[in-house]
Amino acid sequence: KSVVGSVYFSTDPANPDTDGDLLLDGFEYYHQLDPLDPSDSTEDGEGGGLDNLREPAFLTDPWNPDTDADGLEDGAEVDVFASDPLDSDTDDDGLTDGDEVNTHQTDPTLPDSDGGGVPDGIEVEEGTDPLNSLDDAADVALVVEGGTQTATLVQARLHALGGSLWLPAAPT
């Protein structure tokens, strides 16, 4: 017999899925589901968009609608945006997946949604538009015209992308 809360279940020790619902008895027991009720595999107890049968496939918590607490429910991450429901910043651009979708309308799977060469998080931090690649090029043009402050900003952006920038020494 196994115990879930204060309820006892008689599962079959020779069968890892006593109720035949494709959820292992251990998973059902651990997550306080009923290992003798095959209908619980199609339930979405927390309303996060993934039924109990899909939760183990993505390692998400069947009692938490947003396992990574990024502002996007697990089902939306998997079925709509193709982002990682276990990583709050799937593309590592400095914005949570929820902020990308709900606030900035950027792509949570692309670090640079506008393709301009500057990650979305840096664009938001600097006040440029992460959906307009033309403002990325403007910063680079300012470096060519001179200006240590802008050069430092571009160096910081390139460093965030894993690169570096070498500027010619100022004439003496």
Side-chain angles (χ1 to χ4, degrees):
K1 291 186 177 187
S2 63
V3 179
V4 174
S6 60
V7 179
Y8 292 87
F9 296 104
S10 295
T11 57
D12 180 354
N15 182 351
D17 180 15
T18 301
D19 60 9
D21 63 358
L22 302 177
L23 291 174
L24 297 177
D25 292 347
F27 176 87
E28 293 193 71
Y29 173 78
Y30 181 81
H31 292 288
Q32 299 181 350
L33 301 172
D34 185 346
L36 301 177
D37 177 7
S39 70
D40 62 4
S41 67
T42 59
E43 295 173 359
D44 181 11
E46 90 293 31
L50 294 177
D51 62 31
N52 291 329
L53 192 57
R54 294 179 66 208
E55 297 271 6
F58 295 99
L59 304 176
T60 53
D61 181 349
W63 294 109
N64 183 345
D66 182 10
T67 300
D68 61 7
D70 63 359
L72 279 184
E73 291 185 344
D74 296 339
E77 292 214 52
V78 169
D79 295 329
V80 178
F81 300 105
S83 55
D84 184 347
L86 302 177
D87 184 349
S88 63
D89 183 7
T90 298
D91 59 10
D92 297 321
D93 65 356
L95 299 174
T96 66
D97 296 345
D99 281 347
E100 293 219 47
V101 170
N102 299 321
T103 303
H104 305 290
Q105 290 73 50
T106 54
D107 186 331
T109 64
L110 293 175
D112 179 15
S113 294
D114 64 15
V118 178
D120 297 338
I122 292 177
E123 289 213 52
V124 167
E125 182 181 310
E126 296 299 325
T128 57
D129 183 354
L131 298 173
N132 178 359
S133 63
L134 298 178
D135 61 6
D136 298 359
D139 287 333
V140 174
L142 288 173
V143 171
V144 173
E145 303 227 346
T148 307
Q149 187 173 5
T150 305
T152 302
L153 171 64
V154 173
Q155 281 181 311
R157 289 180 175 176
L158 287 171
H159 178 71
L161 292 170
S164 61
L165 174 68
W166 296 97
L167 296 173
T172 54

